[in-house]
Amino acid sequence: MKKSSYLKRKDLFSAAAFLLPGIIFTVWLRYYPILQSFYMSLFTYDPVNPPGKFVGLQNYQNIFQSGFYWGAWKNTFIFLLLHIGLIFFIPLVQAIFLNELTKGKKFFSTVYLTTALIPISINVIIWKWIWHPDYGLANQVLKFFGAEPQMWLSDPSLTKFAIIFPGIIGGGVGVLLYLAAIQGVSSDIYEASEIDGCTGWQKIAHITLPNIKFIIIIQLILATISTMQILDLPYQYTSGGPSGAATSMGIYIYDMVNKDLSYGKSTAAACVLFIVIGILTIVQMKLDQSEVE
């Protein structure tokens, strides 16, 4: 008994020794900055003589009264809807078709993964050339079909579409994740469904998709989080323009820090963004659990 108790304590100590450094760094590098941001949002933060004057929730009140702030929220949610509507399901469709291939599966998997290796900056340069109003490929295609050329990145009504659309090429790691999940579905289930007359699209709708729903939900949550924080794409394409049409919450917070030097207001906006993303994530997870139940 004593030896068993000693071994249990030894195992517990070994587990704690492995986990403790990770816990410490997670709290220090992730949770502490979140608390520090909320603390900064309560001040007119002065980096020279921190923390500056205490103003309570005044920074929150100030940003809520700004039309530019709500415009950034509108743009962010439009980016989210465009991303989910145009891009989110593309890797899933690619993975389903890829799984049906009998030859060349490894080759096409490599091709899809290659898109993830292209740096974002290079991708932006290519697509800025494609969207160019004078000699861009997009307008050349429109002219070929007799349509009027467009000012893709200079038209407020088209800018957000032009920024999100390049992702429709799909590919990347998402295809491999979906493919791995599909291949993890037991072949016995497919064989039983074929005996019952479930083939083709019925097999995909009633067997494949329900059995990989868990990875679809995870990818949806990750896509929502990343799109709600979108900064690099609209900033590299138009720096948030024209006339603020592509200014996401990420750009709004970035400009508030680097251009206006309003650290208190920027951290207040960041805290609100954090809360909204948290609520959306919880709602998505609850909906998944309710379907399971």
Short mmCIF file of all heavy atoms in Angstrom, two decimals, residues 68-133:
data_model
loop_
_atom_site.label_atom_id
_atom_site.label_comp_id
_atom_site.label_asym_id
_atom_site.label_seq_id
_atom_site.Cartn_x
_atom_site.Cartn_y
_atom_site.Cartn_z
N PHE A 68 -17.74 55.86 -36.67
CA PHE A 68 -16.67 55.10 -37.32
C PHE A 68 -16.50 53.74 -36.64
O PHE A 68 -16.20 52.74 -37.31
CB PHE A 68 -15.37 55.91 -37.25
CG PHE A 68 -14.30 55.39 -38.16
CD1 PHE A 68 -14.50 55.26 -39.52
CD2 PHE A 68 -13.06 55.02 -37.66
CE1 PHE A 68 -13.52 54.77 -40.37
CE2 PHE A 68 -12.06 54.53 -38.49
CZ PHE A 68 -12.30 54.41 -39.85
N TYR A 69 -16.70 53.70 -35.33
CA TYR A 69 -16.60 52.44 -34.59
C TYR A 69 -17.67 51.46 -35.05
O TYR A 69 -17.38 50.28 -35.33
CB TYR A 69 -16.73 52.72 -33.09
CG TYR A 69 -16.84 51.50 -32.22
CD1 TYR A 69 -15.72 50.75 -31.90
CD2 TYR A 69 -18.08 51.08 -31.71
CE1 TYR A 69 -15.82 49.62 -31.10
CE2 TYR A 69 -18.19 49.96 -30.91
CZ TYR A 69 -17.06 49.23 -30.60
OH TYR A 69 -17.17 48.12 -29.80
N TRP A 70 -18.91 51.93 -35.16
CA TRP A 70 -19.99 51.04 -35.58
C TRP A 70 -19.85 50.67 -37.05
O TRP A 70 -20.25 49.58 -37.47
CB TRP A 70 -21.34 51.70 -35.31
CG TRP A 70 -21.61 51.86 -33.85
CD1 TRP A 70 -21.67 53.02 -33.13
CD2 TRP A 70 -21.81 50.80 -32.89
NE1 TRP A 70 -21.91 52.76 -31.80
CE2 TRP A 70 -22.00 51.41 -31.63
CE3 TRP A 70 -21.87 49.41 -32.98
CZ2 TRP A 70 -22.23 50.67 -30.47
CZ3 TRP A 70 -22.09 48.68 -31.83
CH2 TRP A 70 -22.27 49.31 -30.60
N GLY A 71 -19.25 51.57 -37.85
CA GLY A 71 -18.96 51.22 -39.23
C GLY A 71 -17.96 50.09 -39.33
O GLY A 71 -18.08 49.21 -40.20
N ALA A 72 -16.98 50.09 -38.43
CA ALA A 72 -15.99 49.01 -38.40
C ALA A 72 -16.66 47.69 -38.02
O ALA A 72 -16.31 46.63 -38.58
CB ALA A 72 -14.88 49.35 -37.41
N TRP A 73 -17.62 47.73 -37.09
CA TRP A 73 -18.35 46.52 -36.74
C TRP A 73 -19.15 46.00 -37.93
O TRP A 73 -19.19 44.79 -38.20
CB TRP A 73 -19.30 46.78 -35.56
CG TRP A 73 -18.70 46.52 -34.23
CD1 TRP A 73 -18.52 47.40 -33.20
CD2 TRP A 73 -18.21 45.26 -33.74
NE1 TRP A 73 -17.94 46.79 -32.12
CE2 TRP A 73 -17.74 45.47 -32.43
CE3 TRP A 73 -18.09 43.99 -34.29
CZ2 TRP A 73 -17.19 44.46 -31.65
CZ3 TRP A 73 -17.54 42.97 -33.52
CH2 TRP A 73 -17.09 43.22 -32.22
N LYS A 74 -19.80 46.91 -38.66
CA LYS A 74 -20.57 46.52 -39.83
C LYS A 74 -19.68 45.84 -40.87
O LYS A 74 -20.02 44.77 -41.39
CB LYS A 74 -21.24 47.76 -40.44
CG LYS A 74 -22.01 47.46 -41.73
CD LYS A 74 -22.58 48.75 -42.32
CE LYS A 74 -23.26 48.46 -43.66
NZ LYS A 74 -23.79 49.70 -44.28
N ASN A 75 -18.53 46.44 -41.13
CA ASN A 75 -17.59 45.86 -42.10
C ASN A 75 -17.11 44.49 -41.65
O ASN A 75 -16.97 43.56 -42.46
CB ASN A 75 -16.39 46.79 -42.29
CG ASN A 75 -16.77 48.10 -42.96
OD1 ASN A 75 -17.74 48.17 -43.69
ND2 ASN A 75 -16.00 49.14 -42.69
N THR A 76 -16.85 44.34 -40.35
CA THR A 76 -16.35 43.07 -39.82
C THR A 76 -17.37 41.95 -40.01
O THR A 76 -17.02 40.84 -40.42
CB THR A 76 -16.01 43.21 -38.33
OG1 THR A 76 -15.01 44.23 -38.17
CG2 THR A 76 -15.47 41.90 -37.77
N PHE A 77 -18.64 42.24 -39.74
CA PHE A 77 -19.67 41.21 -39.90
C PHE A 77 -19.92 40.91 -41.37
O PHE A 77 -20.25 39.76 -41.72
CB PHE A 77 -20.96 41.64 -39.21
CG PHE A 77 -20.96 41.38 -37.72
CD1 PHE A 77 -20.88 42.42 -36.82
CD2 PHE A 77 -21.02 40.09 -37.24
CE1 PHE A 77 -20.86 42.18 -35.45
CE2 PHE A 77 -21.02 39.83 -35.88
CZ PHE A 77 -20.94 40.88 -34.98
N ILE A 78 -19.76 41.90 -42.25
CA ILE A 78 -19.89 41.62 -43.69
C ILE A 78 -18.74 40.72 -44.14
O ILE A 78 -18.94 39.79 -44.92
CB ILE A 78 -19.91 42.94 -44.49
CG1 ILE A 78 -21.20 43.71 -44.20
CG2 ILE A 78 -19.80 42.65 -45.99
CD1 ILE A 78 -21.27 45.07 -44.87
N PHE A 79 -17.53 41.01 -43.64
CA PHE A 79 -16.39 40.13 -43.93
C PHE A 79 -16.69 38.70 -43.48
O PHE A 79 -16.39 37.73 -44.19
CB PHE A 79 -15.13 40.63 -43.23
CG PHE A 79 -14.40 41.72 -43.96
CD1 PHE A 79 -14.02 42.89 -43.31
CD2 PHE A 79 -14.06 41.57 -45.30
CE1 PHE A 79 -13.34 43.89 -43.98
CE2 PHE A 79 -13.38 42.57 -45.98
CZ PHE A 79 -13.02 43.73 -45.32
N LEU A 80 -17.30 38.56 -42.31
CA LEU A 80 -17.61 37.24 -41.77
C LEU A 80 -18.63 36.52 -42.65
O LEU A 80 -18.45 35.33 -42.97
CB LEU A 80 -18.15 37.38 -40.34
CG LEU A 80 -18.58 36.07 -39.64
CD1 LEU A 80 -17.39 35.13 -39.51
CD2 LEU A 80 -19.19 36.37 -38.27
N LEU A 81 -19.69 37.22 -43.05
CA LEU A 81 -20.71 36.60 -43.90
C LEU A 81 -20.13 36.21 -45.26
O LEU A 81 -20.45 35.13 -45.80
CB LEU A 81 -21.88 37.57 -44.07
CG LEU A 81 -22.70 37.86 -42.81
CD1 LEU A 81 -23.77 38.91 -43.10
CD2 LEU A 81 -23.33 36.60 -42.26
N LEU A 82 -19.30 37.08 -45.84
CA LEU A 82 -18.68 36.76 -47.12
C LEU A 82 -17.76 35.56 -47.00
O LEU A 82 -17.73 34.68 -47.88
CB LEU A 82 -17.89 37.98 -47.63
CG LEU A 82 -18.70 39.15 -48.16
CD1 LEU A 82 -17.79 40.34 -48.46
CD2 LEU A 82 -19.47 38.76 -49.42
N HIS A 83 -17.00 35.50 -45.89
CA HIS A 83 -16.07 34.39 -45.70
C HIS A 83 -16.82 33.07 -45.58
O HIS A 83 -16.45 32.07 -46.22
CB HIS A 83 -15.23 34.62 -44.45
CG HIS A 83 -14.23 33.53 -44.20
ND1 HIS A 83 -12.96 33.54 -44.74
CD2 HIS A 83 -14.31 32.38 -43.48
CE1 HIS A 83 -12.31 32.45 -44.37
NE2 HIS A 83 -13.11 31.74 -43.60
N ILE A 84 -17.88 33.05 -44.78
CA ILE A 84 -18.64 31.81 -44.59
C ILE A 84 -19.38 31.44 -45.87
O ILE A 84 -19.44 30.27 -46.27
CB ILE A 84 -19.61 31.95 -43.41
CG1 ILE A 84 -18.82 32.09 -42.09
CG2 ILE A 84 -20.55 30.75 -43.33
CD1 ILE A 84 -19.68 32.33 -40.88
N GLY A 85 -19.97 32.44 -46.54
CA GLY A 85 -20.75 32.17 -47.74
C GLY A 85 -19.93 31.77 -48.95
O GLY A 85 -20.35 30.92 -49.74
N LEU A 86 -18.73 32.36 -49.10
CA LEU A 86 -17.94 32.12 -50.30
C LEU A 86 -16.80 31.12 -50.12
O LEU A 86 -16.42 30.44 -51.07
CB LEU A 86 -17.34 33.45 -50.80
CG LEU A 86 -18.32 34.51 -51.30
CD1 LEU A 86 -17.55 35.78 -51.67
CD2 LEU A 86 -19.10 34.00 -52.50
N ILE A 87 -16.24 31.06 -48.91
CA ILE A 87 -14.96 30.36 -48.74
C ILE A 87 -15.06 29.15 -47.82
O ILE A 87 -14.43 28.12 -48.08
CB ILE A 87 -13.90 31.34 -48.19
CG1 ILE A 87 -13.68 32.46 -49.19
CG2 ILE A 87 -12.60 30.63 -47.87
CD1 ILE A 87 -12.75 33.54 -48.69
N PHE A 88 -15.83 29.25 -46.75
CA PHE A 88 -15.76 28.26 -45.68
C PHE A 88 -15.99 26.83 -46.18
O PHE A 88 -15.30 25.90 -45.77
CB PHE A 88 -16.76 28.60 -44.58
CG PHE A 88 -16.82 27.57 -43.49
CD1 PHE A 88 -15.79 27.45 -42.57
CD2 PHE A 88 -17.89 26.69 -43.40
CE1 PHE A 88 -15.83 26.49 -41.57
CE2 PHE A 88 -17.94 25.73 -42.40
CZ PHE A 88 -16.90 25.64 -41.49
N PHE A 89 -16.96 26.64 -47.07
CA PHE A 89 -17.33 25.28 -47.49
C PHE A 89 -16.50 24.76 -48.65
O PHE A 89 -16.60 23.57 -48.99
CB PHE A 89 -18.82 25.23 -47.85
CG PHE A 89 -19.73 25.46 -46.69
CD1 PHE A 89 -20.36 26.68 -46.51
CD2 PHE A 89 -19.95 24.45 -45.76
CE1 PHE A 89 -21.19 26.90 -45.43
CE2 PHE A 89 -20.78 24.66 -44.67
CZ PHE A 89 -21.40 25.89 -44.50
N ILE A 90 -15.68 25.62 -49.27
CA ILE A 90 -14.88 25.19 -50.42
C ILE A 90 -13.93 24.04 -50.07
O ILE A 90 -13.90 23.02 -50.77
CB ILE A 90 -14.11 26.38 -51.01
CG1 ILE A 90 -15.07 27.43 -51.55
CG2 ILE A 90 -13.16 25.91 -52.12
CD1 ILE A 90 -15.94 26.97 -52.68
N PRO A 91 -13.12 24.14 -48.99
CA PRO A 91 -12.23 23.01 -48.65
C PRO A 91 -12.98 21.73 -48.34
O PRO A 91 -12.49 20.63 -48.64
CB PRO A 91 -11.48 23.53 -47.41
CG PRO A 91 -11.54 25.01 -47.51
CD PRO A 91 -12.88 25.30 -48.11
N LEU A 92 -14.19 21.85 -47.77
CA LEU A 92 -15.00 20.65 -47.48
C LEU A 92 -15.41 19.96 -48.78
O LEU A 92 -15.30 18.73 -48.91
CB LEU A 92 -16.23 21.05 -46.66
CG LEU A 92 -17.23 19.92 -46.36
CD1 LEU A 92 -16.55 18.79 -45.59
CD2 LEU A 92 -18.42 20.48 -45.58
N VAL A 93 -15.86 20.75 -49.75
CA VAL A 93 -16.24 20.18 -51.05
C VAL A 93 -15.02 19.56 -51.73
O VAL A 93 -15.11 18.45 -52.30
CB VAL A 93 -16.87 21.27 -51.94
CG1 VAL A 93 -17.14 20.72 -53.34
CG2 VAL A 93 -18.15 21.81 -51.31
N GLN A 94 -13.90 20.23 -51.67
CA GLN A 94 -12.68 19.70 -52.27
C GLN A 94 -12.28 18.37 -51.62
O GLN A 94 -11.87 17.44 -52.31
CB GLN A 94 -11.55 20.72 -52.13
CG GLN A 94 -11.73 21.95 -52.99
CD GLN A 94 -10.69 23.02 -52.71
OE1 GLN A 94 -10.19 23.13 -51.61
NE2 GLN A 94 -10.37 23.81 -53.73
N ALA A 95 -12.40 18.29 -50.30
CA ALA A 95 -12.03 17.07 -49.59
C ALA A 95 -12.96 15.91 -49.96
O ALA A 95 -12.52 14.76 -50.10
CB ALA A 95 -12.07 17.31 -48.08
N ILE A 96 -14.26 16.21 -50.13
CA ILE A 96 -15.22 15.16 -50.50
C ILE A 96 -14.89 14.59 -51.88
O ILE A 96 -14.86 13.37 -52.08
CB ILE A 96 -16.66 15.71 -50.45
CG1 ILE A 96 -17.07 16.00 -49.00
CG2 ILE A 96 -17.63 14.72 -51.09
CD1 ILE A 96 -18.40 16.69 -48.86
N PHE A 97 -14.63 15.47 -52.83
CA PHE A 97 -14.27 15.00 -54.17
C PHE A 97 -12.93 14.29 -54.17
O PHE A 97 -12.72 13.31 -54.88
CB PHE A 97 -14.25 16.17 -55.15
CG PHE A 97 -15.61 16.58 -55.64
CD1 PHE A 97 -16.23 17.70 -55.14
CD2 PHE A 97 -16.28 15.81 -56.58
CE1 PHE A 97 -17.49 18.08 -55.58
CE2 PHE A 97 -17.54 16.16 -57.02
CZ PHE A 97 -18.16 17.31 -56.52
N LEU A 98 -11.99 14.80 -53.37
CA LEU A 98 -10.67 14.19 -53.29
C LEU A 98 -10.76 12.78 -52.73
O LEU A 98 -10.03 11.88 -53.16
CB LEU A 98 -9.75 15.06 -52.41
CG LEU A 98 -8.27 14.70 -52.37
CD1 LEU A 98 -7.65 14.78 -53.76
CD2 LEU A 98 -7.52 15.65 -51.43
N ASN A 99 -11.66 12.57 -51.79
CA ASN A 99 -11.82 11.26 -51.18
C ASN A 99 -12.37 10.24 -52.17
O ASN A 99 -12.14 9.04 -52.03
CB ASN A 99 -12.75 11.36 -49.97
CG ASN A 99 -12.88 10.06 -49.22
OD1 ASN A 99 -11.92 9.54 -48.68
ND2 ASN A 99 -14.09 9.52 -49.19
N GLU A 100 -13.10 10.72 -53.19
CA GLU A 100 -13.69 9.82 -54.18
C GLU A 100 -12.70 9.39 -55.24
O GLU A 100 -12.98 8.46 -56.02
CB GLU A 100 -14.90 10.50 -54.85
CG GLU A 100 -16.03 10.84 -53.89
CD GLU A 100 -16.62 9.61 -53.23
OE1 GLU A 100 -16.77 8.59 -53.93
OE2 GLU A 100 -16.91 9.66 -52.02
N LEU A 101 -11.54 10.05 -55.30
CA LEU A 101 -10.55 9.69 -56.31
C LEU A 101 -9.93 8.33 -56.00
O LEU A 101 -9.66 8.00 -54.85
CB LEU A 101 -9.44 10.75 -56.38
CG LEU A 101 -9.83 12.14 -56.89
CD1 LEU A 101 -8.61 13.06 -56.84
CD2 LEU A 101 -10.38 12.06 -58.31
N THR A 102 -9.70 7.56 -57.03
CA THR A 102 -9.01 6.28 -56.87
C THR A 102 -7.54 6.40 -57.22
O THR A 102 -6.72 5.63 -56.75
CB THR A 102 -9.66 5.21 -57.76
OG1 THR A 102 -9.68 5.68 -59.12
CG2 THR A 102 -11.10 4.94 -57.31
N LYS A 103 -7.20 7.40 -58.07
CA LYS A 103 -5.81 7.63 -58.46
C LYS A 103 -5.49 9.11 -58.32
O LYS A 103 -6.35 9.97 -58.50
CB LYS A 103 -5.56 7.20 -59.91
CG LYS A 103 -5.70 5.69 -60.14
CD LYS A 103 -5.39 5.35 -61.59
CE LYS A 103 -5.51 3.84 -61.83
NZ LYS A 103 -5.20 3.49 -63.25
N GLY A 104 -4.24 9.38 -57.99
CA GLY A 104 -3.79 10.77 -57.90
C GLY A 104 -4.18 11.50 -56.63
O GLY A 104 -4.08 12.72 -56.57
N LYS A 105 -4.61 10.76 -55.61
CA LYS A 105 -5.06 11.40 -54.37
C LYS A 105 -3.91 12.12 -53.68
O LYS A 105 -4.06 13.25 -53.20
CB LYS A 105 -5.67 10.35 -53.44
CG LYS A 105 -6.31 10.94 -52.19
CD LYS A 105 -7.02 9.86 -51.37
CE LYS A 105 -8.16 9.25 -52.14
NZ LYS A 105 -8.95 8.30 -51.30
N LYS A 106 -2.74 11.49 -53.63
CA LYS A 106 -1.59 12.12 -52.99
C LYS A 106 -1.14 13.36 -53.76
O LYS A 106 -0.77 14.37 -53.17
CB LYS A 106 -0.43 11.13 -52.86
CG LYS A 106 -0.69 10.00 -51.87
CD LYS A 106 0.52 9.10 -51.75
CE LYS A 106 0.27 7.98 -50.73
NZ LYS A 106 1.46 7.08 -50.58
N PHE A 107 -1.20 13.27 -55.08
CA PHE A 107 -0.78 14.41 -55.92
C PHE A 107 -1.69 15.62 -55.67
O PHE A 107 -1.21 16.73 -55.44
CB PHE A 107 -0.83 14.02 -57.39
CG PHE A 107 -0.66 15.18 -58.33
CD1 PHE A 107 0.59 15.74 -58.54
CD2 PHE A 107 -1.77 15.71 -58.99
CE1 PHE A 107 0.74 16.82 -59.40
CE2 PHE A 107 -1.62 16.79 -59.85
CZ PHE A 107 -0.36 17.34 -60.06
N PHE A 108 -3.00 15.41 -55.71
CA PHE A 108 -3.93 16.53 -55.51
C PHE A 108 -3.91 17.03 -54.07
O PHE A 108 -4.12 18.22 -53.84
CB PHE A 108 -5.34 16.12 -55.91
CG PHE A 108 -5.55 16.05 -57.39
CD1 PHE A 108 -5.63 14.83 -58.04
CD2 PHE A 108 -5.64 17.22 -58.14
CE1 PHE A 108 -5.81 14.77 -59.41
CE2 PHE A 108 -5.83 17.17 -59.51
CZ PHE A 108 -5.91 15.94 -60.15
N SER A 109 -3.63 16.15 -53.11
CA SER A 109 -3.47 16.60 -51.72
C SER A 109 -2.30 17.56 -51.62
O SER A 109 -2.38 18.59 -50.93
CB SER A 109 -3.26 15.41 -50.80
OG SER A 109 -4.37 14.54 -50.81
N THR A 110 -1.22 17.24 -52.30
CA THR A 110 -0.05 18.11 -52.31
C THR A 110 -0.36 19.44 -52.99
O THR A 110 0.06 20.50 -52.53
CB THR A 110 1.13 17.42 -53.03
OG1 THR A 110 1.40 16.18 -52.39
CG2 THR A 110 2.37 18.30 -52.97
N VAL A 111 -1.12 19.38 -54.09
CA VAL A 111 -1.50 20.60 -54.82
C VAL A 111 -2.34 21.51 -53.93
O VAL A 111 -2.12 22.73 -53.87
CB VAL A 111 -2.26 20.24 -56.11
CG1 VAL A 111 -2.86 21.50 -56.74
CG2 VAL A 111 -1.34 19.55 -57.09
N TYR A 112 -3.30 20.93 -53.22
CA TYR A 112 -4.15 21.73 -52.34
C TYR A 112 -3.35 22.34 -51.20
O TYR A 112 -3.57 23.49 -50.80
CB TYR A 112 -5.29 20.87 -51.77
CG TYR A 112 -6.38 20.56 -52.77
CD1 TYR A 112 -6.92 19.28 -52.86
CD2 TYR A 112 -6.87 21.54 -53.61
CE1 TYR A 112 -7.93 18.99 -53.77
CE2 TYR A 112 -7.88 21.27 -54.52
CZ TYR A 112 -8.41 19.99 -54.59
OH TYR A 112 -9.39 19.71 -55.49
N LEU A 113 -2.41 21.58 -50.67
CA LEU A 113 -1.61 22.07 -49.55
C LEU A 113 -0.66 23.18 -49.99
O LEU A 113 -0.31 24.06 -49.20
CB LEU A 113 -0.81 20.92 -48.93
CG LEU A 113 0.01 21.24 -47.68
CD1 LEU A 113 -0.91 21.73 -46.55
CD2 LEU A 113 0.81 20.03 -47.22
N THR A 114 -0.26 23.17 -51.27
CA THR A 114 0.68 24.16 -51.77
C THR A 114 0.13 25.58 -51.62
O THR A 114 0.89 26.53 -51.41
CB THR A 114 1.01 23.88 -53.25
OG1 THR A 114 1.54 22.56 -53.36
CG2 THR A 114 2.04 24.87 -53.79
N THR A 115 -1.18 25.74 -51.73
CA THR A 115 -1.77 27.09 -51.61
C THR A 115 -1.50 27.70 -50.24
O THR A 115 -1.43 28.93 -50.12
CB THR A 115 -3.28 27.04 -51.86
OG1 THR A 115 -3.90 26.17 -50.89
CG2 THR A 115 -3.58 26.50 -53.24
N ALA A 116 -1.35 26.86 -49.22
CA ALA A 116 -1.08 27.38 -47.88
C ALA A 116 0.36 27.85 -47.73
O ALA A 116 0.68 28.55 -46.77
CB ALA A 116 -1.39 26.31 -46.84
N LEU A 117 1.22 27.46 -48.66
CA LEU A 117 2.63 27.83 -48.58
C LEU A 117 2.91 29.20 -49.19
O LEU A 117 3.99 29.75 -48.99
CB LEU A 117 3.49 26.77 -49.29
CG LEU A 117 3.33 25.33 -48.80
CD1 LEU A 117 4.22 24.40 -49.62
CD2 LEU A 117 3.63 25.21 -47.32
N ILE A 118 1.94 29.76 -49.94
CA ILE A 118 2.13 31.06 -50.56
C ILE A 118 1.96 32.15 -49.51
O ILE A 118 0.91 32.22 -48.87
CB ILE A 118 1.13 31.27 -51.71
CG1 ILE A 118 1.27 30.17 -52.76
CG2 ILE A 118 1.32 32.65 -52.35
CD1 ILE A 118 0.23 30.24 -53.85
N PRO A 119 2.96 33.01 -49.30
CA PRO A 119 2.82 34.08 -48.31
C PRO A 119 1.66 35.01 -48.64
O PRO A 119 1.35 35.25 -49.83
CB PRO A 119 4.16 34.82 -48.41
CG PRO A 119 5.11 33.84 -49.01
CD PRO A 119 4.29 32.98 -49.93
N ILE A 120 1.00 35.51 -47.61
CA ILE A 120 -0.16 36.38 -47.81
C ILE A 120 0.21 37.60 -48.64
O ILE A 120 -0.54 38.02 -49.53
CB ILE A 120 -0.74 36.81 -46.45
CG1 ILE A 120 -1.32 35.60 -45.73
CG2 ILE A 120 -1.81 37.88 -46.63
CD1 ILE A 120 -1.87 35.92 -44.36
N SER A 121 1.39 38.17 -48.38
CA SER A 121 1.80 39.38 -49.10
C SER A 121 1.91 39.12 -50.60
O SER A 121 1.51 39.95 -51.42
CB SER A 121 3.13 39.89 -48.56
OG SER A 121 3.03 40.23 -47.20
N ILE A 122 2.47 37.96 -50.98
CA ILE A 122 2.60 37.60 -52.39
C ILE A 122 1.23 37.42 -53.02
O ILE A 122 0.95 37.88 -54.14
CB ILE A 122 3.44 36.33 -52.57
CG1 ILE A 122 4.83 36.50 -51.96
CG2 ILE A 122 3.54 35.95 -54.03
CD1 ILE A 122 5.64 37.62 -52.56
N ASN A 123 0.34 36.76 -52.29
CA ASN A 123 -1.02 36.55 -52.77
C ASN A 123 -1.73 37.87 -52.99
O ASN A 123 -2.45 38.06 -53.98
CB ASN A 123 -1.78 35.69 -51.76
CG ASN A 123 -3.08 35.15 -52.34
OD1 ASN A 123 -3.09 34.54 -53.40
ND2 ASN A 123 -4.17 35.38 -51.64
N VAL A 124 -1.54 38.83 -52.08
CA VAL A 124 -2.16 40.15 -52.20
C VAL A 124 -1.63 40.88 -53.42
O VAL A 124 -2.39 41.50 -54.18
CB VAL A 124 -1.92 40.98 -50.93
CG1 VAL A 124 -2.33 42.44 -51.14
CG2 VAL A 124 -2.69 40.39 -49.75
N ILE A 125 -0.32 40.81 -53.66
CA ILE A 125 0.28 41.48 -54.82
C ILE A 125 -0.32 40.94 -56.12
O ILE A 125 -0.67 41.70 -57.04
CB ILE A 125 1.81 41.30 -54.82
CG1 ILE A 125 2.43 42.08 -53.65
CG2 ILE A 125 2.41 41.76 -56.14
CD1 ILE A 125 3.91 41.82 -53.46
N ILE A 126 -0.47 39.62 -56.20
CA ILE A 126 -1.03 39.00 -57.41
C ILE A 126 -2.46 39.46 -57.64
O ILE A 126 -2.85 39.84 -58.75
CB ILE A 126 -0.95 37.46 -57.31
CG1 ILE A 126 0.51 36.99 -57.28
CG2 ILE A 126 -1.71 36.80 -58.46
CD1 ILE A 126 0.68 35.52 -57.00
N TRP A 127 -3.27 39.44 -56.56
CA TRP A 127 -4.67 39.79 -56.72
C TRP A 127 -4.89 41.28 -56.89
O TRP A 127 -5.88 41.69 -57.53
CB TRP A 127 -5.48 39.25 -55.54
CG TRP A 127 -5.84 37.81 -55.75
CD1 TRP A 127 -5.17 36.72 -55.32
CD2 TRP A 127 -6.96 37.33 -56.50
NE1 TRP A 127 -5.80 35.58 -55.73
CE2 TRP A 127 -6.90 35.92 -56.46
CE3 TRP A 127 -8.01 37.94 -57.19
CZ2 TRP A 127 -7.84 35.13 -57.08
CZ3 TRP A 127 -8.96 37.14 -57.81
CH2 TRP A 127 -8.86 35.76 -57.76
N LYS A 128 -4.00 42.12 -56.39
CA LYS A 128 -4.10 43.55 -56.66
C LYS A 128 -3.87 43.82 -58.14
O LYS A 128 -4.47 44.74 -58.72
CB LYS A 128 -3.11 44.34 -55.80
CG LYS A 128 -3.51 44.42 -54.33
CD LYS A 128 -2.50 45.19 -53.51
CE LYS A 128 -2.64 46.68 -53.73
NZ LYS A 128 -1.79 47.44 -52.76
N TRP A 129 -3.00 43.01 -58.77
CA TRP A 129 -2.83 43.11 -60.21
C TRP A 129 -4.09 42.62 -60.94
O TRP A 129 -4.53 43.23 -61.92
CB TRP A 129 -1.62 42.29 -60.65
CG TRP A 129 -1.52 42.16 -62.13
CD1 TRP A 129 -1.06 43.09 -63.03
CD2 TRP A 129 -1.91 41.02 -62.92
NE1 TRP A 129 -1.14 42.60 -64.31
CE2 TRP A 129 -1.66 41.33 -64.28
CE3 TRP A 129 -2.44 39.77 -62.60
CZ2 TRP A 129 -1.92 40.44 -65.30
CZ3 TRP A 129 -2.71 38.88 -63.62
CH2 TRP A 129 -2.44 39.23 -64.96
N ILE A 130 -4.67 41.52 -60.47
CA ILE A 130 -5.89 41.00 -61.09
C ILE A 130 -7.03 42.01 -61.01
O ILE A 130 -7.80 42.19 -61.96
CB ILE A 130 -6.30 39.67 -60.43
CG1 ILE A 130 -5.26 38.58 -60.73
CG2 ILE A 130 -7.69 39.22 -60.91
CD1 ILE A 130 -5.52 37.27 -60.02
N TRP A 131 -7.16 42.71 -59.87
CA TRP A 131 -8.25 43.67 -59.67
C TRP A 131 -7.94 45.06 -60.25
O TRP A 131 -8.78 45.94 -60.15
CB TRP A 131 -8.56 43.82 -58.19
CG TRP A 131 -9.06 42.63 -57.46
CD1 TRP A 131 -8.61 42.13 -56.27
CD2 TRP A 131 -10.16 41.77 -57.82
NE1 TRP A 131 -9.32 41.03 -55.88
CE2 TRP A 131 -10.28 40.78 -56.82
CE3 TRP A 131 -11.03 41.74 -58.90
CZ2 TRP A 131 -11.24 39.79 -56.86
CZ3 TRP A 131 -12.00 40.74 -58.95
CH2 TRP A 131 -12.09 39.79 -57.95
N HIS A 132 -6.77 45.25 -60.83
CA HIS A 132 -6.40 46.59 -61.31
C HIS A 132 -7.44 47.07 -62.34
O HIS A 132 -7.80 46.34 -63.28
CB HIS A 132 -5.01 46.57 -61.95
CG HIS A 132 -4.43 47.94 -62.12
ND1 HIS A 132 -4.76 48.76 -63.19
CD2 HIS A 132 -3.55 48.65 -61.37
CE1 HIS A 132 -4.12 49.90 -63.09
NE2 HIS A 132 -3.37 49.87 -62.00
N PRO A 133 -7.93 48.31 -62.21
CA PRO A 133 -9.02 48.77 -63.08
C PRO A 133 -8.62 48.95 -64.54
O PRO A 133 -9.48 48.89 -65.44
CB PRO A 133 -9.42 50.12 -62.46
CG PRO A 133 -8.21 50.57 -61.70
CD PRO A 133 -7.58 49.32 -61.19
#
